[in-house]
Amino acid sequence: MNDAQTSPLFPHRHLLGIKGLSAQDIELLLDRADSAVAISRKSEKKTSSLRGRTQINLFFEASTRTQSSFELAGKRLGADVMNMSVASSSVKKGETLIDTAMTLNAMRPDILVIRHSSAGAAALLAQKVGCSVVNAGDGAHEHPTQALLDALTIRREKGKIARLTVSICGDILHSRVARSNILLLNAMGARVRVVAPSTLLPVGIEQMGVEVFRDMARGLKGADVVMMLRLQRERMAGSFVPSIREYFRHFGLDAEKLKAAKDDALVMHPGPMNRGVEIASEIADGPQSVIEKQVEMGVALRMAVMEALLDPRRNETGGNA
Amino acid sequence: MTSTVFKNARIVDPSRGLDETGSVIVADQTIVTSGASAHNQGVPDGAKVFDCKGKALIPGLVDSRVFIGEPGGEHRETIASASHAAAAGGVTSLIMMPDTDPVIDDVALVEFVLRTARETALVNIFPAAAITKSLAGQELTEIGLLQHAGAVAFTDGRQTIANSLLMRRALTYARDFGAIIAHETLDPDLASSGVMNEGLFASWLGLPGIPREAEVIPLERDLLLARLTGGAYHAAKISTAIAADTIARAKNDGANVTAGISINHLSLNEIDVGEYRTFFRLSPPLRAEEDRLAMVEAVRDGTVDIIVSSHDPQDVDTKRLPFADAADGAIGLETLLAAGLRLFHNGDLPLLRLIELLSTAPAKLFSLPGGTLKPGAPADLAIVDLDEPWVVSEADIRSRSKNTCFEGSRMQGKVLQTMVGGRTVFAS
């Protein structure tokens, strides 16, 4: 990328979460991602900045979207990309994590991208391997590249993040996307709201740097960005909410509820969407939706992250920080 | 007859409210005399004289909640290895939990433990037997026969008995034998998949939390049943301020109720979990600092009767996992006294009260010999330098498992010598 040599050095070896990143770190990644967007839009999409580097995608939870986004990002940077989908059915979850990590480590990869159902799995892996680790989602903890790509989308659409009002709606309790976004948006000076039924809010949410709403009309009022979260169907079985129909009535985003937000409010969703559960199709496909753009930004942002972590200047300056 | 005289010792004996400089004279397996005036009786002929140089001499600790892997999990801990760890920590008697494989729910298993202890252990090992067969919470064990065989208490170990009727029967039936029902309480539905204290800290980590109420709801039930039946009930490991209030109320009502707490819950809080440190995954979970302070207050005011290590050896297979997948528990026999002494050094507890909680009170509660330096008592004692600084290091741990919460911690106070039944089982 053009500014790769002039861009400041990213001061972290791993990307395990938004926690621990400064506003400057985030800006740096977003700036680099802007250049990556340009590359991705050219007909010749390949660069060579990660040529000869090996990237392993280690997905303990199936996620076609995130995995292919990371794969594409690595390939556009010229890396050799290997996908490891770990059958979680045969072995007890987690039991193989360290073993798998040690095996992969012996193959001397440069970067490991991990998705796991347990919070802290990426951090655990990072302690055991010699390469950079990117957290592609660990339990209900963090999903940093999602929050960064959301920020990139917002910044490109709105020209800024600071002082925007962002309403995050839905299953906050189980959402790593929500946690990473709350951290990132606060670091960048946005006003963050969460909107959800109380059963889907974590204990202590009031102290997490957000304004809490249990009502969409009030939670969306005057919002610049409406960020919807996926509601997993198994939440009904856990009695978090009684039914899809009731949930959609109160918390599903439809034209009526969206009216409360600003006219030019962005509608976002990390995907995959449950149409008719948390979002109506007319909104998902409507003019305010930037959901497809988020997917495009995802590839660019992940290119920026991996390139920043594997910055060759790091070796020149005496190894990993 | 072999005799030993420990002179110039700071004798700390809560059973007599004694904290004075003097001598302790041991003949064979028994304490002959102890106190400031012990020397007046003269030194027995041929006695070895040991100058304690003002170091503390305390009754050996009695740790009433120790999990051991034998039988079934010998790679984690054997009765022998646990006894070595105990000896190094100044623990001269311990009660072993029935959570073994097979479960100690049968006379033959009690006999196995006692025989193995006799043959291999350095300290006194007393088995607790299960309340219900296989710890399944369904059918009572043979409480009478088990007690006769040597079980000193009844507990389902890590398990909470969900069935209220069964708990009532257990308390009622055990009462006829004067047996104590010791219970850890955790409502399994309310705790659900929780792995640490519920609160802001768990929320940021994305870990499911265990509310304090999960401990107290079954505890309240048990205390009501203890009042109803008159049975002897011991809340084995409480961790919350509301549990302490509940216990205090039951005691006030005259219920036959006692309570214990693990040293971990007096020393640590949820912040120690840090970034998913599985050695700090305990049951009950480490709570907030307010709870820890309330627990310190509860041991000070007598609401809580005893302190335990809750020694629970786990190996890398069960701990080197993502936090939510790891096992609960931490070892503690070797650090029980040193961690307890922190409470003394920072002024939370007087020394006599601390040793009472660690030795005299548990011995009395479970009717075990020891916990005292009175003449005629077994010579179970420890000599302790109350001030010697040291750092806990995995390399020095005698337990087969290394899952300590205190790795790298600075301690003040070290066991110099441990004697069980007149025999020196540890000397540094």
Side-chain angles (χ1 to χ4, degrees):
Chain A
M1 269 169 253
N2 297 335
D3 58 352
Q5 290 304 310
T6 54
S7 163
L9 194 64
F10 186 65
H12 304 278
R13 182 184 177 192
H14 307 293
L15 181 66
L16 303 177
I18 300 298
K19 191 184 164 200
L21 297 188
S22 65
Q24 290 95 313
D25 296 341
I26 294 165
E27 295 274 10
L28 183 155
L29 292 174
L30 298 184
D31 292 344
R32 293 184 77 136
D34 271 329
S35 330
V37 174
I39 293 169
S40 293
R41 286 179 179 174
K42 290 196 289 193
S43 55
E44 170 55 55
K45 295 183 173 55
K46 261 202 150 160
T47 72
S48 58
S49 55
L50 294 194
R51 194 168 60 198
R53 304 293 196 111
T54 304
Q55 170 193 342
I56 299 182
N57 296 333
L58 181 59
F59 276 59
F60 288 86
E61 263 183 356
S63 168
T64 323
R65 304 161 61 97
T66 307
Q67 185 169 329
S68 36
S69 180
F70 271 105
E71 182 175 355
L72 208 51
K75 286 181 171 165
R76 284 187 182 165
L77 294 170
D80 296 314
V81 185
M82 187 179 127
N83 287 317
M84 292 265 304
S85 295
V86 183
S88 50
S89 54
S90 54
V91 208
K92 191 179 148 255
K93 257 182 286 173
E95 205 157 42
T96 55
L97 179 62
I98 298 285
D99 289 340
T100 313
M102 297 322 282
T103 309
L104 293 178
N105 196 41
M107 299 177 190
R108 304 191 64 82
D110 299 284
I111 195 157
L112 262 174
V113 179
I114 177 181
R115 158 72 61 97
H116 197 280
S117 59
S118 285
L124 181 63
L125 194 78
Q127 290 166 17
K128 306 289 173 191
V129 298
C131 65
S132 286
V133 173
V134 178
N135 181 6
D138 62 328
H141 178 223
E142 282 227 46
H143 190 356
T145 58
Q146 180 69 45
L148 285 161
L149 77 86
D150 290 343
L152 180 64
T153 310
I154 295 171
R155 198 176 76 165
R156 288 174 69 98
E157 293 293 320
K158 294 285 181 191
K160 62 169 186 180
I161 297 171
R163 288 182 303 283
L164 293 180
T165 298
V166 182
S167 299
I168 308 174
C169 313
D171 186 358
I172 312 290
L173 177 64
H174 299 97
S175 177
R176 50 194 170 215
V177 175
R179 281 172 183 75
S180 287
N181 262 309
I182 290 169
L183 289 165
L184 185 148
L185 293 166
N186 271 304
M188 302 306 284
R191 298 191 191 95
V192 189
R193 298 176 181 171
V194 296
V195 192
S198 294
T199 46
L200 292 176
L201 288 168
V203 170
I205 183 71
E206 300 81 5
Q207 298 161 63
M208 292 173 91
V210 297
E211 252 188 293
V212 184
F213 295 86
R214 276 91 177 172
D215 172 281
M216 288 287 271
R218 273 184 280 170
L220 263 50
K221 193 170 179 209
D224 298 289
V225 178
V226 180
M227 210 178 260
M228 301 307 297
L229 298 172
R230 179 180 166 80
L231 181 79
Q232 305 212 320
R233 283 166 194 273
E234 57 260 32
R235 303 298 171 223
M236 314 301 153
S239 290
F240 290 98
V241 286
S243 75
I244 286 173
R245 150 173 111 160
E246 174 148 319
Y247 184 78
F248 185 75
R249 169 75 71 83
H250 292 98
F251 294 95
L253 187 65
D254 56 17
E256 189 56 38
K257 295 196 192 86
L258 186 56
K259 274 186 197 157
K262 284 189 182 154
D263 292 343
D264 62 348
L266 305 178
V267 173
M268 305 179 74
H269 194 295
M273 281 182 283
N274 284 314
R275 289 168 186 265
V277 179
E278 70 264 359
I279 191 164
S281 274
E282 50 164 350
I283 301 299
D285 305 328
Q288 287 172 260
S289 166
V290 292
I291 296 171
E292 271 179 47
K293 192 156 280 168
Q294 285 175 274
V295 179
E296 184 194 356
M297 293 306 118
V299 178
L301 183 279
R302 285 165 182 135
M303 287 169 74
V305 164
M306 291 194 288
E307 214 183 27
L309 291 174
L310 298 184
D311 196 315
R313 288 174 296 170
R314 202 185 294 277
N315 299 328
E316 292 159 20
T317 54
N320 290 314
Chain B
M1 190 164 94
T2 58
S3 302
T4 310
V5 178
F6 296 97
K7 67 172 190 179
N8 296 325
R10 177 180 174 185
I11 299 169
V12 181
D13 183 4
S15 71
R16 292 177 291 167
L18 206 75
D19 184 351
E20 63 187 26
T21 302
S23 297
V24 175
I25 300 176
V26 171
D28 289 331
Q29 296 158 18
T30 312
I31 292 170
V32 177
T33 176
S34 67
S37 55
H39 246 64
N40 299 347
Q41 302 186 9
V43 176
D45 290 341
K48 283 184 287 183
V49 179
F50 186 89
D51 188 348
C52 296
K53 296 176 181 159
K55 306 293 187 236
L57 194 156
I58 62 172
L61 306 195
V62 177
D63 187 350
S64 69
R65 204 147 190 93
V66 176
F67 296 87
I68 296 179
E70 185 174 2
E74 287 83 354
H75 62 293
R76 290 188 281 113
E77 194 85 287
T78 62
I79 289 172
S81 67
S83 81
H84 280 84
V91 175
T92 53
S93 292
L94 63 85
I95 300 181
M96 174 179 156
M97 293 299 102
D99 311 41
T100 48
D101 183 16
V103 170
I104 304 174
D105 60 0
D106 187 273
V107 168
L109 268 298
V110 171
E111 286 168 350
F112 166 81
V113 169
L114 290 172
R115 188 170 61 245
T116 308
R118 233 178 2 252
E119 289 165 4
T120 68
L122 295 179
V123 306
N124 306 310
I125 310 268
F126 299 98
I131 300 167
T132 66
K133 288 175 187 160
S134 307
L135 306 176
Q138 304 289 332
E139 283 175 78
L140 277 191
T141 55
E142 297 163 320
I143 288 177
L145 293 175
L146 288 161
Q147 187 188 49
H148 185 72
V152 298
F154 292 83
T155 175
D156 268 6
R158 300 179 183 91
Q159 305 297 318
T160 297
I161 293 172
N163 184 329
S164 306
L165 176 61
L166 192 119
M167 181 49 90
R168 177 188 181 170
R169 292 269 151 76
L171 283 162
T172 306
Y173 190 77
R175 187 192 57 196
D176 294 346
F177 294 91
I180 295 174
I181 298 292
H183 202 210
E184 285 185 28
T185 53
L186 185 75
D187 183 317
D189 295 311
L190 195 53
S192 185
S193 56
V195 294
M196 72 173 289
N197 186 39
E198 182 173 282
L200 182 62
F201 199 63
S203 291
W204 273 125
L205 289 173
L207 292 172
I210 300 174
R212 294 166 178 82
E213 287 73 11
E215 170 171 298
V216 183
I217 289 171
L219 178 62
E220 284 275 18
R221 175 205 67 175
D222 287 357
L223 295 173
L224 289 168
L225 293 173
R227 289 176 177 98
L228 174 68
T229 61
Y233 179 84
H234 177 65
K237 257 159 67 182
I238 66 166
S239 67
T240 63
I242 34 176
D245 289 346
T246 308
I247 299 278
R249 232 179 311 119
K251 284 186 166 182
N252 205 34
D253 292 350
N256 191 359
V257 165
T258 53
I261 184 170
S262 95
I263 189 65
N264 300 317
H265 292 86
L266 292 169
S267 312
L268 308 164
N269 65 32
E270 60 182 349
I271 307 294
D272 287 296
V273 169
E275 293 284 312
Y276 307 101
R277 298 201 289 171
T278 57
F279 282 10
F280 295 82
R281 184 176 160 171
L282 306 176
S283 180
L286 291 172
R287 300 287 183 185
E289 178 63 6
E290 305 90 83
D291 290 294
R292 190 192 71 82
L293 293 172
M295 291 298 98
V296 171
E297 183 54 35
V299 294
R300 197 166 31 210
D301 70 15
T303 303
V304 168
D305 303 87
I306 63 170
I307 300 174
V308 301
S309 71
S310 194
H311 181 84
D312 192 349
Q314 297 290 338
D315 68 0
V316 291
D317 293 346
T318 48
K319 281 293 191 185
R320 247 178 53 177
L321 295 173
F323 196 86
D325 305 325
D328 293 319
I331 58 168
L333 280 166
E334 289 167 76
T335 47
L336 175 60
L337 180 60
L341 283 170
R342 283 181 171 180
L343 299 169
F344 161 62
H345 287 302
N346 59 30
D348 285 332
L349 285 178
L351 186 60
L352 265 176
R353 174 65 181 147
L354 176 69
I355 304 304
E356 181 182 24
L357 286 154
L358 288 167
S359 173
T360 309
K364 193 169 164 220
L365 175 58
F366 294 102
S367 307
L368 307 180
T372 173
L373 299 172
K374 280 181 191 163
D380 294 352
L381 54 89
I383 299 165
V384 183
D385 183 333
L386 296 173
D387 296 311
E388 188 179 329
W390 61 291
V391 177
V392 179
S393 163
E394 192 187 302
D396 302 330
I397 289 172
R398 285 164 182 78
S399 174
R400 267 198 193 174
S401 294
K402 311 297 177 194
N403 56 311
T404 172
C405 287
F406 295 102
E407 169 71 21
S409 295
R410 288 165 196 286
M411 297 294 192
Q412 185 183 353
K414 206 168 196 315
V415 176
L416 303 176
Q417 188 178 333
T418 306
M419 181 174 263
V420 175
R423 174 182 168 216
T424 298
V425 291
F426 171 81
S428 69

